[in-house]
Amino acid sequence: MYNVTLIPGDGIGPSIMEAAVKVLDATGVKFEWEERLAGMAAVEKFDTPIPFETLESIRKSRLAFKGPLTTPVGIGYRSVNVALRQEFELYANVRPATSFEGLDLRYKNVNIMIVRENTEGLYSGIEHFIKADGINIAAESTAIITRSGAEKSIRYAFEYARKNKRKRVTVVHKANILKCTSGLFLEVAHEIAKEYPEIEFQDKIIDACAMQMVMDPTVFDVMVTTNLFGDILSDLAAGLVGGLGLTPGANIGKTAAIFEAVHGSAPDIAGKNIANPTAVIMGGVMMLEYLGEHEAAVRVDKAVREIIKEGKFVTPDLNKNSKSGTVEFGAEIARRVK
Ligand code: NAD
């Protein structure tokens, strides 16, 4: 029995998480779900986006499965996601983007694993305005890169490549301009790469890298980069394989992990039964692998891929003629998994 803190999240969160929990329960793996609130749902009830009882639950379970959280813009709240990642020292954000058969897209063979440093860089939360006569005349933001933060995420990428027999690791940076922060990240990557002689290593500057990913993403394998660049490149990678409804993410630390989708709470489609539950369900697949439940993970992955290939039970983002929504798509995955 695995104890998991379940955070339904905001916007489309509760509906896609309900579908995902049904799929995970259908595997036969025993989960004890402890439901806790965070984000806007928690602000309404507890007047804070990260209530104490949610943190306590994750401290005990060391494992959370979460829906996307809305962070209100500019009214004094820190990003809840960033806060959770820092609180539990979840140093690597692991975001795979792989092609699905059956989708009519330009590229058919994308298989990119992005490892994003998850607690530092421009997301360190050190920002302020400078005021004169009561108006903001400037704003400053401090990016922190530590040797140890860089080492942990870069080593994770190389270990992942070794374990999964991947060929190449690309470190993405902007060390030509950000000589200290990006420079240190790149320096550490070169040092660590020497310990993995069997893995091809290359470095790419973020802007050229973004262009190359769009021109031919199939040349990329494992990628590792700093927080902001990783955030942007993983949405870009999602776009290459069919959109944000498809790509999951795992936040990995030494003693805890949080599994989720790459996408946010999608307020524009909330309450319409059209949100694609695949991304969080694939987050569930990553959680099953993390727990060593390989057979169950493969079963869910296979069911999702089969249904997407057939195109009948999918949400409208994948097939605009489909009559299915979040509920029907999720139920069909659960049925086949069972
Ligand atoms: P978003 O990812 O929520 O949505 C971007 C676009 O993708 C929207 O058009 C949306 O409809 C579409 N989309 C997203 N998920 C989808 C799905 N499952 N199926 C079909 N279409 C989907 O990004 P946003 O609108 O910029 O952000 C909304 C909120 O989410 C913000 O408050 C942001 O801070 C938050 N956010 C949270 C997380 C997280 O919890 N990990 C990640 C990103 C953004």
Side-chain angles (χ1 to χ4, degrees):
M1 173 77 79
Y2 300 107
N3 292 319
V4 184
T5 303
L6 176 70
I7 301 174
D10 299 312
I12 61 172
S15 65
I16 55 173
M17 291 306 281
E18 192 183 332
V21 165
K22 284 187 181 146
V23 169
L24 290 180
D25 285 339
T27 62
V29 174
K30 295 276 174 264
F31 290 104
E32 178 77 37
W33 304 105
E34 190 166 273
E35 194 169 318
R36 292 288 180 267
L37 295 179
M40 286 310 283
V43 172
E44 282 151 25
K45 189 160 173 211
F46 297 98
D47 206 24
T48 166
I50 317 185
F52 178 74
E53 60 162 52
T54 304
L55 292 174
E56 274 302 283
S57 173
I58 304 174
R59 275 190 201 110
K60 271 197 287 145
S61 64
R62 317 304 302 175
L63 191 59
F65 189 40
K66 67 171 271 292
L69 304 174
T70 301
T71 298
V73 178
I75 50 168
Y77 292 113
R78 281 181 68 201
S79 159
V80 189
N81 293 305
V82 173
L84 284 173
R85 290 162 187 165
Q86 289 176 344
E87 172 72 26
F88 295 102
E89 295 179 60
L90 307 173
Y91 56 82
N93 191 189
V94 185
R95 295 180 153 187
T98 52
S99 294
F100 289 81
E101 275 185 72
L103 300 182
D104 185 20
L105 297 168
R106 186 159 166 200
Y107 303 106
K108 304 279 178 218
N109 298 310
V110 179
N111 188 5
I112 298 175
M113 171 61 84
I114 295 179
V115 178
R116 159 192 178 196
E117 194 292 312
N118 210 23
T119 59
E120 304 187 339
L122 270 170
Y123 289 21
S124 300
I126 308 167
E127 263 201 313
H128 60 261
F129 289 112
I130 297 165
K131 288 184 187 287
D133 298 329
I135 59 160
N136 298 324
I137 55 156
E140 288 182 343
S141 185
T142 304
I144 306 283
I145 298 288
T146 66
R147 177 167 282 275
S148 97
E151 267 175 16
K152 281 187 276 190
S153 49
I154 294 165
R155 193 169 293 286
Y156 185 96
F158 276 96
E159 283 296 319
Y160 176 87
R162 179 173 273 174
K163 197 167 156 217
N164 294 280
K165 307 215 175 337
R166 306 281 289 237
K167 281 210 294 287
R168 183 183 308 120
V169 172
T170 304
V171 63
V172 185
H173 63 91
K174 188 75 186 176
N176 52 328
I177 306 288
L178 307 170
K179 292 183 189 289
C180 299
T181 46
S182 248
L184 177 58
F185 198 81
L186 180 61
E187 181 184 313
V188 172
H190 274 282
E191 286 167 18
I192 292 179
K194 292 197 186 94
E195 297 174 37
Y196 299 83
E198 78 280 19
I199 297 164
E200 192 188 317
F201 172 66
Q202 61 178 3
D203 71 80
K204 290 226 174 277
I205 293 178
I206 176 71
D207 35 357
C209 179
M211 184 275 295
Q212 284 174 11
M213 279 175 80
V214 173
M215 296 287 287
D216 184 7
T218 61
V219 301
F220 291 97
D221 192 357
V222 177
M223 306 175 80
V224 59
T225 187
T226 45
N227 210 334
L228 174 64
F229 297 161
D231 199 3
I232 297 169
L233 289 187
S234 50
D235 271 33
L236 189 159
L240 295 170
V241 298
L244 279 170
L246 296 173
T247 48
N251 300 275
I252 306 285
K254 205 166 154 200
T255 58
I258 298 181
F259 296 85
E260 61 181 352
V262 166
H263 64 72
S265 53
D268 53 334
I269 58 167
K272 297 182 177 164
N273 191 36
I274 55 171
N276 188 338
T278 301
V280 276
I281 291 172
M282 297 306 262
V285 170
M286 294 180 86
M287 184 166 76
L288 288 167
E289 289 286 9
Y290 175 84
L291 293 169
E293 299 286 352
H294 179 67
E295 181 277 327
V298 171
R299 209 160 7 114
V300 177
D301 184 84
K302 192 165 163 269
V304 171
R305 287 178 187 280
E306 250 174 40
I307 297 169
I308 291 178
K309 190 174 172 187
E310 293 161 12
K312 187 171 163 208
F313 292 96
V314 297
T315 39
D317 56 316
L318 300 185
N319 173 3
K320 60 180 181 343
N321 300 319
S322 172
K323 300 267 178 293
S324 294
T326 313
V327 174
E328 296 75 20
F329 192 3
E332 182 60 16
I333 299 169
R335 194 185 68 76
R336 295 195 195 186
V337 164
K338 212 166 193 166

